[in-house]
Amino acid sequence: MKKNNKYFININKNIYGGKHKGYFDYDKKAKDENSALNPWAYIRVKNEDITLRASLESILPAIQRGIIAYNDCDDKSEEIILEFCKQYPSFIPKKYPYNVQIQNPKNEENKLYSYYNWAASFIPKGQWLVKIDVDHIYDAKKLFSSFYLAKKDNDLVSIARLNVAVYENKVYVVPNYYIDVVDHWLVKNDDLKWKEVLVDGDSMNWNEVLFEERDKYTNLNSYELLSLKTHKVKRYKLTNLHFPFIKKSRQIQKDDTWLSLDEFKERHKELLGTKIDERMLNEEEILSLYYSFNFSFFTKLKHYYLCFFSKLRFTPPTQTKISLIKAYL
């Protein structure tokens, strides 16, 4: 049987309390705890129960261990994390004991950079870590292959992402489209330290403000920044899809900047085959992945409705909508 991502994901679903399987099983160097082929997953979570389990399962064939830090969760994220770590005990849950406040934080421990430093403190010095965000779905084979680029201690492998969204049963690539700005990476933990950075905007609209000019602004946001100036950046092709509008804190607002997959391929031909494996832009597979997320019952019902009638290519009358809803209740 061909050992691809789906093979390993299916195998790992049936493992409970033991060691999960992956591409690392086929390279002896990946058994070395100090090897770049055996990094810690460095994960932070807040209210991401929709994509959380799918994202974690997607990295298992590439990553053997990890720290899953979480804070201020009032959805099912904590439950999912604890169950995942029980099933795969090489992943360790860590609950941050303070409230994280992005806007006007009260104390140092309430700042995002303090949380990042706290989470990283559980990863041994001298070992490698890879930043994982759980609103991303990873291609484990490509992710593991990217680890081979790290040859020296000061090497840093930048992990690019593609922002995608689903709207009315159609996949779009959304701003800032293809991103490779060294904010997701594989790096060695040589006493890494995050610092505070003030931002007028948010993580999607980043406008950094100098500390000496902070009095000119109201309601600045406090984010984190990791200084990596001494590292040699190495880049790899796309390894993951980012679903930024899945988060409950972000509103989905479709506009003219959204590109269909065909439009994106046409406008960014230079990325295809070089930075992006075109097989990652298969709309049917992305939709299948999207609909497998842990949505609420009524959201899933809406998805089923859209899928069904988009294939018929007409808008059903209200009475048909009511009948369909009743059929699922």
Side-chain angles (χ1 to χ4, degrees):
M1 180 179 292
K2 185 178 180 181
K3 293 178 173 58
N4 54 23
N5 294 331
K6 290 182 179 179
Y7 168 84
F8 284 117
I9 288 173
N10 289 333
I11 289 290
N12 288 330
K13 285 180 183 291
N14 296 316
I15 294 174
Y16 200 95
K19 188 179 184 305
H20 61 281
K21 308 297 182 182
Y23 299 104
F24 42 76
D25 291 323
Y26 300 91
D27 191 328
K28 292 181 179 179
K29 295 178 182 178
K31 305 301 179 185
D32 183 353
E33 64 181 13
N34 295 314
S35 171
L37 300 180
N38 188 9
W40 290 81
Y42 172 67
I43 305 170
R44 298 92 36 243
V45 179
K46 179 182 177 181
N47 288 343
E48 301 186 80
D49 63 351
I50 294 175
T51 56
L52 179 54
R53 182 77 192 198
S55 178
L56 293 175
E57 288 181 350
S58 76
I59 68 171
L60 283 177
I63 301 176
Q64 302 174 65
R65 53 188 177 165
I67 294 293
I68 307 180
Y70 60 99
N71 69 290
D72 306 321
C73 294
D74 54 20
D75 62 358
K76 294 183 179 180
S77 291
E78 181 174 29
E79 177 185 335
I80 294 169
I81 291 168
L82 295 179
E83 173 57 30
F84 181 85
C85 293
K86 187 177 180 180
Q87 184 170 0
Y88 307 108
S90 59
F91 286 79
I92 304 168
K94 295 292 181 181
K95 186 174 184 178
Y96 191 54
Y98 304 101
N99 176 250
V100 176
Q101 300 160 350
I102 299 298
Q103 192 173 80
N104 302 321
K106 294 181 179 179
N107 301 298
E108 288 301 305
E109 59 267 23
N110 300 119
K111 295 181 178 180
L112 190 61
Y113 89 94
S114 296
Y115 172 45
Y116 271 59
N117 283 323
W118 175 86
S121 71
F122 298 102
I123 297 175
K125 297 293 189 295
Q127 296 186 12
W128 292 76
L129 65 150
V130 57
K131 184 183 178 188
I132 297 294
D133 279 4
V134 295
D135 56 351
H136 297 229
I137 303 297
Y138 295 82
D139 181 316
K141 186 174 184 178
K142 290 181 173 61
L143 182 62
F144 184 71
S145 295
S146 74
F147 299 163
Y148 282 92
L149 292 181
K151 305 291 186 182
K152 299 180 180 179
D153 288 352
N154 69 330
D155 284 344
L156 177 147
V157 180
S158 180
I159 299 175
R161 62 188 180 274
L162 187 73
N163 286 345
V164 297
V166 174
Y167 185 78
E168 294 187 347
N169 201 41
K170 188 175 180 65
V171 177
Y172 295 89
V173 184
V174 298
N176 292 311
Y177 311 112
Y178 177 81
I179 305 172
D180 190 0
V181 292
V182 200
D183 62 344
H184 286 67
W185 27 250
L186 168 74
V187 67
K188 192 171 185 179
N189 187 17
D190 286 331
D191 200 28
L192 298 174
K193 294 294 181 185
W194 282 258
K195 66 178 183 179
E196 182 180 19
V197 59
L198 299 178
V199 174
D200 180 27
D202 56 28
S203 59
M204 296 289 287
N205 299 286
W206 190 275
N207 180 27
E208 192 170 331
V209 174
L210 297 175
F211 275 86
E212 55 267 29
E213 296 181 357
R214 62 185 180 274
D215 292 337
K216 299 179 182 179
Y217 298 83
T218 57
N219 298 323
L220 286 176
N221 290 325
S222 173
Y223 284 97
E224 88 299 334
L225 184 66
L226 180 62
S227 178
L228 298 165
K229 294 180 181 179
T230 62
H231 289 76
K232 182 178 180 180
V233 177
K234 297 189 174 184
R235 301 180 188 276
Y236 194 71
K237 57 190 175 185
L238 182 68
T239 63
N240 66 91
L241 300 177
H242 178 213
F243 293 84
F245 298 120
I246 292 289
K247 286 186 176 180
K248 297 173 183 176
S249 59
R250 294 175 180 155
Q251 293 291 325
I252 185 167
Q253 296 178 337
K254 184 182 179 300
D255 58 40
D256 292 338
T257 65
W258 290 29
L259 302 178
S260 70
L261 289 176
D262 287 339
E263 289 172 330
F264 177 79
K265 292 176 187 179
E266 180 63 28
R267 296 190 190 185
H268 298 280
K269 292 178 180 178
E270 75 284 358
L271 296 175
L272 303 181
T274 55
K275 295 296 184 180
I276 300 176
D277 181 344
E278 196 167 347
R279 289 173 295 182
M280 293 189 71
L281 303 181
N282 183 302
E283 184 160 42
E284 185 176 338
E285 290 191 5
I286 296 174
L287 286 173
S288 177
L289 173 64
Y290 177 81
Y291 293 135
S292 73
F293 292 161
N294 185 36
F295 291 109
S296 68
F297 171 80
F298 285 103
T299 301
K300 286 184 176 180
L301 179 61
K302 178 183 176 181
H303 291 159
Y304 293 145
Y305 165 81
L306 289 171
C307 285
F308 180 76
F309 285 107
S310 65
K311 292 178 181 178
L312 298 181
R313 304 200 180 282
F314 75 98
T315 302
T318 302
Q319 188 58 46
T320 304
K321 297 177 186 178
I322 295 173
S323 299
L324 179 66
I325 293 173
K326 286 182 177 180
Y328 279 92
L329 294 179

